[in-house]
């Protein structure tokens, strides 16, 4: 999903970008597009300064000011809800661990288990009764293998979400 170049807000289907001759790169939300366009019309170039977000250290035009412990923090649209108690630790940037597994993940894991059982039953019951049994064995085996891979991946992702495993990389997840 694309985010606004001006304030880091998540953009949906409606994205705005300037005409190429203006040489202003990126996608913008409607508010940022109007502000930057007005600044460009007034001065002939962009005079708004790009500053770094106090949390993610990326450069944006517009920030939201938050106060924590009587200190002002300029944050982008995504980082405005973060806790600044200990900004040097990685735990301050991670979302809280959910108390239970998401429903869609459980649905996909159960579909994988049903696919495994269905493939096994297909190999044992249907394949011996057919003339070209090797083809049916391959189909049933593929169903079982795909179900096993889907169930295994969902269990790995579940453990990662619940924080039961040490840091998994995306390569280990595949």
């Amino acid at each position: 999903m694309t985010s606004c170049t001006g304030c880091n807000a998540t953009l949906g289907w409606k994205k705005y970008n300037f005409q190429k001759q203006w040489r202003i790169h990126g996608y913008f939300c409607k508010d940022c597009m109007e502000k930057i366009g007005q600044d460009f019309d007034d001065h002939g170039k962009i005079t708004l300064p790009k500053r770094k977000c106090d949390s993610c250290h990326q450069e944006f035009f517009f920030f939201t000011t938050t106060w924590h412990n009587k200190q002002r923090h300029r944050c982008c649209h995504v980082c405005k809800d973060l806790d600044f108690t200990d900004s040097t630790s990685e735990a301050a940037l991670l979302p809280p661990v959910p108390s239970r597994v998401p429903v869609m993940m459980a649905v996909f894991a159960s579909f994988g288990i049903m696919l495994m059982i269905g493939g096994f039953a297909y190999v044992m019951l249907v394949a011996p009764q057919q003339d070209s049994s090797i083809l049916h064995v391959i189909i049933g085996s593929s169903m079982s293998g795909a179900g096993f891979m889907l169930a295994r991946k969902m269990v790995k992702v579940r453990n990662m979400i619940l924080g039961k495993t040490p840091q998994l990389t995306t390569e280990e997840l595949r």
Side-chain angles (χ1 to χ4, degrees):
M1 181 112 3
T2 307
S3 60
C4 176
T5 309
C7 64
N8 201 23
T10 305
L11 298 175
W13 293 102
K14 193 71 172 174
K15 301 176 188 110
Y16 298 96
N17 57 348
F18 289 94
Q19 295 176 2
K20 291 185 180 183
Q21 67 263 20
W22 287 26
R23 295 188 184 113
I24 301 173
H25 302 286
Y27 293 106
F28 297 92
C29 62
K30 186 175 182 178
D31 296 332
C32 293
M33 180 79 169
E34 290 173 353
K35 292 175 188 174
I36 291 174
Q38 184 64 44
D39 183 58
F40 191 86
D41 287 342
D42 292 343
H43 300 99
K45 61 181 180 178
I46 298 178
T47 60
L48 296 170
K50 267 192 167 183
R51 295 187 187 125
K52 288 190 175 187
C53 174
D54 290 342
S55 182
C56 64
H57 304 296
Q58 294 181 11
E59 291 185 344
F60 299 105
F61 290 108
F62 307 107
F63 292 106
T64 303
T65 303
T66 58
W67 292 86
H68 191 276
N69 291 337
K70 298 180 182 178
Q71 291 181 348
R72 181 179 66 169
H73 297 280
R74 290 188 185 112
C75 299
C76 61
H77 186 75
V78 173
C79 299
K80 68 181 179 184
D81 297 326
L82 289 178
D83 186 17
F84 283 97
T85 53
D86 187 13
S87 62
T88 58
S89 69
E90 292 270 337
L93 299 176
L94 297 176
V97 176
S99 60
R100 62 189 185 95
V101 178
V103 175
M104 282 307 294
M105 188 176 296
V107 167
F108 275 106
S110 62
F111 177 68
I113 292 170
M114 287 179 16
L115 200 59
M116 277 182 4
I117 293 170
F120 181 71
Y122 187 83
V123 168
M124 290 298 169
L125 300 175
V126 177
Q129 297 173 357
Q130 302 295 325
D131 290 335
S132 59
S133 63
I134 189 69
L135 176 65
H136 295 285
V137 169
I138 291 172
I139 291 171
S141 305
S142 299
M143 283 175 56
S144 294
F148 177 75
M149 288 171 44
L150 183 62
R152 184 186 69 160
K153 186 169 295 243
M154 289 301 122
V155 168
K156 279 187 175 182
V157 170
R158 174 193 159 270
N159 289 340
M160 187 174 77
I161 285 177
L162 294 178
K164 293 183 179 180
T165 57
Q167 296 289 14
L168 283 176
T169 63
T170 55
E171 293 299 321
E172 292 173 352
L173 194 58
R174 292 182 187 153

